[in-house]
Amino acid sequence: DVQLQASGGGLVQAGGSLRLSCAASGFTFEDFAIGWFRQAPGKEREGVSCINSNDDSTRYAESVKGRFTISSDNAKNTVYLQMNSLKPEDTAVYYCAAAAGCFGTYGMDYWGKGTQVTVSS
């Protein structure tokens, strides 16, 4: 079975940092792209960042460029999202998802359960 396990969320003050992890299993990690998405209360789920495990190409939403960094450890089948300079508007449930490429919210094939990130002002 394909499994994606997101972890690392928590409560942090504005300006602080968190590192999210997405541990993947049940598929050939190098053949997939892993994306991070987030959903704030009352808002639609949105893409945050994505990495293609086969070539390490990355994408970022404009709102997180320069603050968030996505990386992949193929030996551990894990993708990380380093989040720095966090803002209250980054507060959301963060999800990781997998697909053959960095597709949008409706194009990802597999989803993990989310991890809550709360940034206080």
Side-chain angles (χ1 to χ4, degrees):
D1 289 349
V2 173
Q3 291 192 0
L4 297 167
Q5 181 65 52
S7 62
L11 173 64
V12 64
Q13 288 188 334
S17 298
L18 283 173
R19 188 177 79 157
L20 305 183
S21 299
C22 176
S25 62
F27 60 91
T28 303
F29 189 74
E30 292 80 2
D31 291 342
F32 279 75
I34 304 292
W36 285 99
F37 298 77
R38 66 186 181 187
Q39 188 166 18
K43 294 187 177 181
E44 290 190 358
R45 192 171 297 186
E46 63 176 355
V48 175
S49 184
C50 187
I51 186 167
N52 278 295
S53 301
N54 59 358
D55 64 4
D56 285 343
S57 59
T58 59
R59 299 183 185 183
Y60 295 93
E62 285 296 325
S63 59
V64 306
K65 279 184 179 178
R67 300 189 297 123
F68 292 10
T69 302
I70 193 169
S71 61
S72 177
D73 185 337
N74 289 5
K76 295 183 178 180
N77 285 7
T78 300
V79 168
Y80 303 98
L81 185 68
Q82 178 67 42
M83 306 187 296
N84 298 330
S85 302
L86 282 162
K87 304 175 181 180
E89 51 264 44
D90 294 318
T91 295
V93 177
Y94 283 70
Y95 301 87
C96 59
C102 285
F103 306 132
T105 304
Y106 299 103
M108 305 304 281
D109 294 319
Y110 306 104
W111 290 85
K113 293 182 180 179
T115 184
Q116 176 71 46
V117 171
T118 303
V119 184
S120 63
S121 58

